Amino acid sequence: MAYGNSRGKNPGSRKPRPGAKRNGVGASSSTRVGKFSGKTSGGAKPKSGTSGSPRAARSHGAGASKRDRRAPHRPYRSGEAFPHERGEYRVNNYSGPHRPRRPRNAPVDHFDFYDHDGVRLQKLMAQAGVASRRVCEEMITEGRVTVNGEVVTELGVRVNPADVIVQVDGMTVQTNEKLIYMAFNKPAGVVSTMEDPDGRSCIKDFLRDSMNERVFHVGRLDVETEGLLLLTNDGELANRLTHPSYEVPKTYLVQVRGPVESGIGAELKKGIRLEDGVSRVDSFKLVDSAPGHVLIEVTIHSGKNRIVRRLFEAVGYPVEKLVRVQMGPIRIGSQKQGTIRNLSKVEIGHLLASVEM
């Protein structure tokens, strides 16, 4: 029998590797292994636990991989358990990128304000318009949220919205749904009261009939003055907005007969002595002018009665028209006269922050 490759060359013509023995050249017949027989040429039996094939020999020997050592596939037989129930392989065995599992919340009922029947803090913040619930959770874990002055960094805190003060970065979040905050653009000729015994037009005439909560106005505007008037049922906020110690600025547009002398603004900012003491404006700016008329913007924090009209009369420029356009951080903007709107969550937060609430 001739030994050779597909080209018919004698394998003896090839130079053997050092220390290696080729079949038929220096190798005994007892060590030659048949290709498919699973037996040695000399009748020797294969190692136990192998089928005789080269792959089977690798699958159970030393150094075999997990894939080679796994159990062979067995077809499903009717009536028996499925392969994953027999434990032959895992289902959903995906080891690629995946979203990390959220850790369990630590016990948080040690807070004095914790309420087992309350609302989760992140949900309450999301409902108040702070941000999405996911972002609110990040704010909490970053230590940016306080409840009744105490920093909360754990998720899972439950609170009663009516009994707590929640702040984010020092700004109060309005969580009590029973509290109402509205802006009223008062027209001229309307009295700054809820009811008028003389039958004149008042604030109540512009409120919705379906409104169940009772509100009151913050401060006053005289009958002929137009513009922004805040309405609320938050008594603490109303007291702080009108208290002189908080010095809440109010901005007005004042129309007077022109032209106006150049030193009037400096005189008003320096202070004018009136019958109830010295009063001054915080800022004075010419906005527009027309033949015979000038529009001026002034900002003042005093809450004295008719203070803007009295100041301009004292310097010789009686007021022709007066409109309040801003109170604290709240502006009248493009709101139509005679309309009432609810303040947004952001406006409420800035308003409360302006009086340290």
Side-chain angles (χ1 to χ4, degrees):
M1 179 176 179
Y3 294 92
N5 57 15
S6 61
R7 296 183 182 180
K9 295 182 181 180
N10 189 340
S13 63
R14 295 184 182 181
K15 186 176 181 179
R17 294 192 304 273
K21 293 182 180 180
R22 295 196 305 269
N23 291 340
V25 182
S28 64
S29 61
S30 62
T31 59
R32 295 184 213 144
V33 181
K35 189 172 183 181
F36 299 106
S37 64
K39 300 180 181 180
T40 60
S41 300
K45 297 182 180 180
K47 296 181 180 180
S48 62
T50 65
S51 62
S53 67
R55 179 167 181 173
R58 290 197 311 268
S59 64
H60 295 278
S65 65
K66 280 186 178 180
R67 178 167 184 150
D68 293 331
R69 289 199 299 269
R70 66 185 178 181
H73 174 70
R74 181 166 60 82
Y76 171 71
R77 301 190 183 100
S78 177
E80 70 176 358
F82 287 102
H84 71 276
E85 296 174 340
R86 299 196 302 267
E88 294 185 6
Y89 63 84
R90 293 180 58 188
V91 181
N92 295 334
N93 188 20
Y94 174 65
S95 59
H98 63 282
R99 185 175 177 179
R101 185 175 182 180
R102 185 185 298 177
R104 292 184 178 181
N105 296 330
V108 291
D109 55 356
H110 60 275
F111 292 107
D112 295 335
F113 49 78
Y114 185 87
D115 189 342
H116 290 276
D117 299 326
V119 183
R120 289 187 180 273
L121 182 58
Q122 60 267 33
K123 180 180 179 181
L124 183 64
M125 293 168 58
Q127 291 176 343
V130 176
S132 66
R133 192 177 301 187
R134 177 69 63 183
V135 175
C136 290
E137 290 178 354
E138 294 176 359
M139 291 179 174
I140 294 173
T141 56
E142 291 171 1
R144 299 168 55 186
V145 181
T146 62
V147 180
N148 290 349
E150 187 172 354
V151 178
V152 177
T153 57
E154 301 94 339
L155 300 177
V157 175
R158 291 181 177 271
V159 298
N160 185 349
D163 297 337
V164 295
I165 298 176
V166 180
Q167 291 183 322
V168 180
D169 297 332
M171 183 176 295
T172 303
V173 178
Q174 177 50 42
T175 57
N176 191 346
E177 297 181 354
K178 294 183 179 180
L179 296 179
I180 300 173
Y181 305 90
M182 298 185 295
F184 175 41
N185 190 351
K186 185 184 91 64
V190 177
V191 184
S192 296
T193 58
M194 288 300 171
E195 295 181 359
D196 184 67
D198 298 331
R200 293 175 295 179
S201 179
C202 60
I203 300 172
K204 188 177 181 180
D205 299 334
F206 297 87
L207 292 172
R208 297 186 299 269
D209 296 334
S210 59
M211 188 170 180
N212 298 324
E213 295 290 337
R214 180 178 178 272
V215 297
F216 46 87
H217 51 89
V218 180
R220 290 174 178 270
L221 293 175
D222 60 68
V223 178
E224 297 304 322
T225 300
E226 308 171 15
L228 178 61
L229 196 62
L230 296 179
L231 308 177
T232 184
N233 58 353
D234 190 342
E236 180 62 23
L237 175 65
N239 291 334
R240 296 196 180 198
L241 288 174
T242 54
H243 199 278
S245 62
Y246 290 98
E247 298 184 349
V248 177
K250 295 171 279 289
T251 303
Y252 296 84
L253 289 178
V254 187
Q255 179 180 307
V256 298
R257 188 171 297 277
V260 176
E261 297 180 4
S262 59
I264 295 299
E267 186 178 355
L268 288 171
K269 287 192 286 186
K270 183 178 179 180
I272 304 296
R273 181 170 293 279
L274 303 175
E275 61 272 13
D276 53 356
V278 177
S279 297
R280 60 180 56 86
V281 299
D282 300 328
S283 66
F284 180 97
K285 181 173 66 175
L286 293 175
V287 177
D288 198 3
S289 63
H293 302 281
V294 176
L295 190 63
I296 303 170
E297 181 186 272
V298 296
T299 301
I300 190 170
H301 62 267
S302 174
K304 295 179 181 179
N305 186 31
R306 298 173 58 90
I307 186 62
V308 177
R309 293 183 183 273
R310 289 192 291 146
L311 282 173
F312 276 86
E313 288 175 3
V315 295
Y317 292 90
V319 174
E320 295 181 336
K321 186 176 181 180
L322 183 62
V323 181
R324 183 157 72 187
V325 295
Q326 186 172 355
M327 184 174 181
I330 309 302
R331 296 187 63 88
I332 198 68
S334 59
Q335 184 177 344
K336 294 182 179 180
Q337 273 197 355
T339 61
I340 297 177
R341 68 175 180 88
N342 293 321
L343 298 184
S344 67
K345 299 293 185 180
V346 175
E347 287 179 313
I348 296 172
H350 286 292
L351 184 62
L352 296 174
S354 67
V355 290
E356 302 176 4
M357 289 185 64

